[in-house]
């Protein structure tokens, strides 16, 4: 059976069956709008995933795609120091898409929503030539100021929480037709976002924050330009995992550190803090210096491969 066989409203019913409103969600699915009750300012972000650009159905199960759609969107709210409370997900898919795939996708969305502490409150469905998923997160700042990219100041330290380079290593092996090491393949399929740590960082006094979606150097570049500073990454603080070493050796013996510096899709959080105010569980990886704006690696300009994902690069 396909989504074309059952039609739009039955499809929506399969996705939203059993969802109910609670906590800050006053009114959830089933009406023209959801209604949320906030304690502070509202933070909003939207993220779109396109089949064969952000995921492949022969690499990822439907549940993996659902989980990734939630994770990549909610990570943006974490990067503002906000607490995610509501999520809207729209699904465009060919009429020939099996309903079994939609059921798996829906299950993945719900699973990741539970992990992220956010409620699915609505969305939309339509037909398309390929699968396209758009998620919008609604997050509550709860009286705490947002943490922008523009707040890094000389003399501060850079610190991060989460993982770097795992998803990039996964893409490298999947692109060569392999399915191992399993850990990096799973990292590409479903990111491990450090949920709750954005709020922790905001309360601890982070002055700039971003999630690593396009690559550490690329995303630090956003902070450097917005803040007008130089960010100097200290690679002696990095720990290269065995699966990353194995992948680098298998694909030609390159430096596995490149995965961590330029690989995206892990959605670690990185930000600037006053020395001594870095939260527990975060690791200092560099410093904020005067000059710039630029990002340095061990005090020098990066001369390796292009740093980070660029959507419209040819």
């Amino acid at each position: 059976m396909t989504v074309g066989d059952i039609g739009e409203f039955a499809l929506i019913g399969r996705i939203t069956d059993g969802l109910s409103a609670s906590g800050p969600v006053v009114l959830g699915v089933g009406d023209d709008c959801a209604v949320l009750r906030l304690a502070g300012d509202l933070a909003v972000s939207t993220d779109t995933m396109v089949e064969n650009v952000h995921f492949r159905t022969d690499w990822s199960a439907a549940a993996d795609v659902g989980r990734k759609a939630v994770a990549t969107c909610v990570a943006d709210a974490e990067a503002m120091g906000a607490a995610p409370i509501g999520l809207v997900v729209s699904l465009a898919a060919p009429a020939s898409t099996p309903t079994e795939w939609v059921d798996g996708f829906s299950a993945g969305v719900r699973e990741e929503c539970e992990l992220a502490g956010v409620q699915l409150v609505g969305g939309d469905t339509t037909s398309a030539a390929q699968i396209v998923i758009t998620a919008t997160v609604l997050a509550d700042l709860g009286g705490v100021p947002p943490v922008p990219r523009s707040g890094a100041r000389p003399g501060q330290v850079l610190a991060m929480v989460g993982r770097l380079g795992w998803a990039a290593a996964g893409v490298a092996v999947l692109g060569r037709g392999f399915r191992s090491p399993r850990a990096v393949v799973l990292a590409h399929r479903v990111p491990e976002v450090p949920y709750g740590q954005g709020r922790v960082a905001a309360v601890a006094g982070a002055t700039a924050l971003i999630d690593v979606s396009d690559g550490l150097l690329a995303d630090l570049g956003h902070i450097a330009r917005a803040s007008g500073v130089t960010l100097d990454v200290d690679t002696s603080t990095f720990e290269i995992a065995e699966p990353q070493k194995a992948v680098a050796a298998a694909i030609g013996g390159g430096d596995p550190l490149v995965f961590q510096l330029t690989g995206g899709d892990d959605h670690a959080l990185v930000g600037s803090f006053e020395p001594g105010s870095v939260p527990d569980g975060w690791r200092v990886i560099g410093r904020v210096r005067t000059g710039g704006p630029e990002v340095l690696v061990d005090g020098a300009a990066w001369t390796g491969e292009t740093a980070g994902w660029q959507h419209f690069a040819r």
Side-chain angles (χ1 to χ4, degrees), residues 178-251:
F178 299 105
R179 295 293 187 270
S180 64
R182 179 173 170 77
V184 296
V185 171
L186 291 177
H188 161 70
R189 291 172 176 165
V190 181
E192 290 188 9
V193 178
Y195 292 125
Q197 289 299 315
R199 192 67 168 180
V200 167
V203 172
T207 60
L209 201 59
I210 198 168
D211 75 300
V212 183
S213 57
D214 295 330
L216 179 64
L217 299 184
D219 287 317
L220 285 180
H222 297 314
I223 292 180
R225 287 186 292 274
S227 300
V229 296
T230 290
L231 305 180
D232 192 355
V233 177
D234 180 2
T235 61
S236 70
T237 65
F238 286 49
E239 298 178 1
I240 309 299
E242 286 301 322
Q244 294 173 323
K245 294 178 182 177
V247 173
I251 64 175

Side-chain angles (χ1 to χ4, degrees), residues 54 59 68 165-178 184-185 187-189 247 259 264-265:
H54 301 90
W59 286 4
K68 189 171 185 175
W166 287 72
V171 171
V173 295
L174 286 165
R176 288 163 173 79
F178 299 105
V184 296
V185 171
H188 161 70
R189 291 172 176 165
V247 173
F259 290 138
D265 255 5

Side-chain angles (χ1 to χ4, degrees), residues 11 20 41 48 50 66 75 86 93 100 107 155 165 176 181 188-189 216 227 238 240 243 259 270 274 297 299:
L11 176 63
S20 59
D41 291 336
T48 296
V50 179
E100 181 181 11
R176 288 163 173 79
H188 161 70
R189 291 172 176 165
L216 179 64
S227 300
F238 286 49
I240 309 299
F259 290 138
V270 60
E274 294 298 330
V297 178

Side-chain angles (χ1 to χ4, degrees), residues 16 19-22 24-36 85-89 109 113 118-124 136-138:
T16 62
L19 290 176
S20 59
S22 63
V25 179
V26 178
L27 193 64
V29 299
D31 281 274
D32 290 325
C33 287
V35 178
L36 311 178
I85 56 175
L87 190 79
V88 178
V89 178
V109 167
C113 280
V118 67
Q119 294 184 52
L120 179 63
V121 298
D124 193 20
T136 299
V137 63
L138 308 167

